[in-house]
């Protein structure tokens, strides 16, 4: 009687690797939660609010928990910042304005995004109409603009 166990064992190991390896799905990162804190803010109810008013000179810290991310890129009004981690601290400029703070968290399989909008402008100087589509939604929006006004609903 021949012992064929040693011959079959490598084939069995290869078969197991092929089968289990084919079920591993690569995926882009997912943002589990996000927050911002600091400053003398208005129209912000909790750390997860994404649109609110700030004062010049405020230091605001933005943070995300992105599962699977190995690279972070922060932008302020489309200008890339030096921060490369899941946390970014920004000082509000000493001027009136509206700023979009944008994060891209990525890995080799894709990217996900998070964005905040802050402003130093009083409501009487704010734009009459504020559209915000970065979340891909055109209706059913629950967030309010930085001046605590409802966002437009489109059909």
């Amino acid at each position: 009687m021949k012992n064929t166990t040693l011959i079959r064992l490598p084939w069995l190991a290869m078969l197991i690797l092929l089968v289990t390896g084919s079920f591993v799905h690569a995926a882009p990162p997912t943002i589990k939660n996000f927050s911002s804190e600091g400053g003398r803010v208005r129209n912000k109810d909790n750390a997860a609010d994404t649109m609110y008013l700030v004062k010049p000179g405020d230091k605001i810290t933005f943070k995300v928990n992105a599962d699977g991310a190995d690279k972070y890129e922060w932008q302020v009004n489309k200008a890339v910042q030096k921060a490369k981690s899941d946390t970014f601290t920004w000082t509000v400029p000493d001027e009136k304005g509206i700023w979009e703070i944008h994060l891209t968290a990525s890995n080799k399989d894709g990217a996900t995004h998070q964005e905040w909008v802050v402003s130093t402008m009083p409501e009487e100087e704010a734009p009459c109409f504020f559209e915000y589509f970065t979340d891909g939604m055109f209706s059913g929006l629950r967030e309010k603009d930085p001046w605590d006004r409802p966002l437009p609903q489109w059909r």
Side-chain angles (χ1 to χ4, degrees), residues 50-51 129-133 135 137-154:
T50 59
M51 295 190 210
F129 191 71
F130 189 81
E131 289 185 306
Y132 192 69
F133 295 141
D135 59 3
M137 295 177 62
F138 302 98
S139 64
L141 299 168
R142 288 176 268 133
E143 185 79 52
K144 292 184 177 181
D145 75 11
W147 302 274
D148 207 31
R149 304 175 303 191
L151 293 171
Q153 303 292 316
W154 300 97

Side-chain angles (χ1 to χ4, degrees), residues 17-144:
L17 272 174
L18 285 172
V19 170
T20 59
S22 67
F23 291 109
V24 174
H25 295 284
T30 25
I31 293 180
K32 296 297 183 186
N33 56 57
F34 54 88
S35 64
S36 64
E37 60 183 30
R40 300 159 288 165
V41 302
R42 284 191 19 228
N43 302 333
K44 183 177 181 194
D45 298 326
N46 60 62
D49 276 355
T50 59
M51 295 190 210
Y52 51 91
L53 295 176
V54 294
K55 299 228 181 247
D58 281 354
K59 285 192 185 313
I60 312 291
T61 299
F62 302 91
K63 183 168 178 58
V64 296
N65 176 359
D67 272 1
D70 57 20
K71 183 179 178 189
Y72 299 88
E73 181 181 271
W74 292 90
Q75 297 180 10
V76 176
N77 287 357
K78 300 190 189 303
V80 176
Q81 305 298 299
K82 291 180 182 178
K84 300 294 180 199
S85 72
D86 63 351
T87 303
F88 169 57
T89 300
W90 177 67
T91 301
V92 178
D94 191 17
E95 61 189 66
K96 290 181 184 175
I98 301 170
W99 294 273
E100 293 180 358
I101 291 73
H102 185 93
L103 166 74
T104 302
S106 61
N107 65 23
K108 65 180 178 50
D109 300 311
T112 189
H113 306 270
Q114 178 59 47
E115 192 162 273
W116 293 262
V117 177
V118 298
S119 177
T120 54
M121 298 174 73
E123 186 171 0
E124 56 274 5
E125 294 179 29
C128 295
F129 191 71
F130 189 81
E131 289 185 306
Y132 192 69
F133 295 141
T134 60
D135 59 3
M137 295 177 62
F138 302 98
S139 64
L141 299 168
R142 288 176 268 133
E143 185 79 52
K144 292 184 177 181

